[in-house]
Amino acid sequence: MSKKTLVIGAIIAVIVIYALNTNKQAAGASATGCKVTVTADVLNARETADGNAKIVGKYLRDAQFDALPGVQNGFRKVADDKWVAAAFTEPVSGSAC
């Protein structure tokens, strides 16, 4: 192999590695601008913003997920028909919650 071929191959490798790393960073970004971490041992997700509403899921401590900015009745909306108690979540650093 010529020296020129090796240099071109090295440049292409650097570009590919950079592109892959950029995609990983973008994948970690929140679609809503708000990402939270669970602070309770187990956090129930409820159908509505009400502590007596039907449980539709659970999150374990340190789980991170997207949420909608703002709090309603002490609950944060994380999906359609899915709410969690805001007191047991903490916005991820740099998140717009």
Side-chain angles (χ1 to χ4, degrees):
M1 243 191 243
S2 73
K3 194 177 208 181
K4 183 177 179 181
T5 303
L6 289 175
V7 170
I8 291 173
I11 291 171
I12 291 172
V14 168
I15 292 170
V16 169
I17 291 169
Y18 176 79
L20 290 174
N21 190 40
T22 301
N23 285 341
K24 286 181 186 175
Q25 290 173 353
S30 170
T32 64
C34 175
K35 192 168 197 161
V36 296
T37 302
V38 175
T39 59
D41 289 333
V42 178
L43 177 61
N44 291 327
R46 299 195 177 266
E47 195 170 45
T48 63
D50 180 345
N52 295 317
K54 178 182 173 187
I55 296 173
V56 294
K58 294 182 183 284
Y59 295 97
L60 299 178
R61 179 181 293 277
D62 297 327
Q64 290 188 352
F65 49 87
D66 289 346
L68 294 176
V71 175
Q72 177 184 329
N73 194 30
F75 285 80
R76 186 178 300 281
K77 188 172 185 175
V78 296
D80 287 339
D81 300 324
K82 198 173 209 179
W83 297 76
V84 295
F88 300 107
T89 63
E90 184 176 295
V92 172
S93 179
S95 187
C97 294

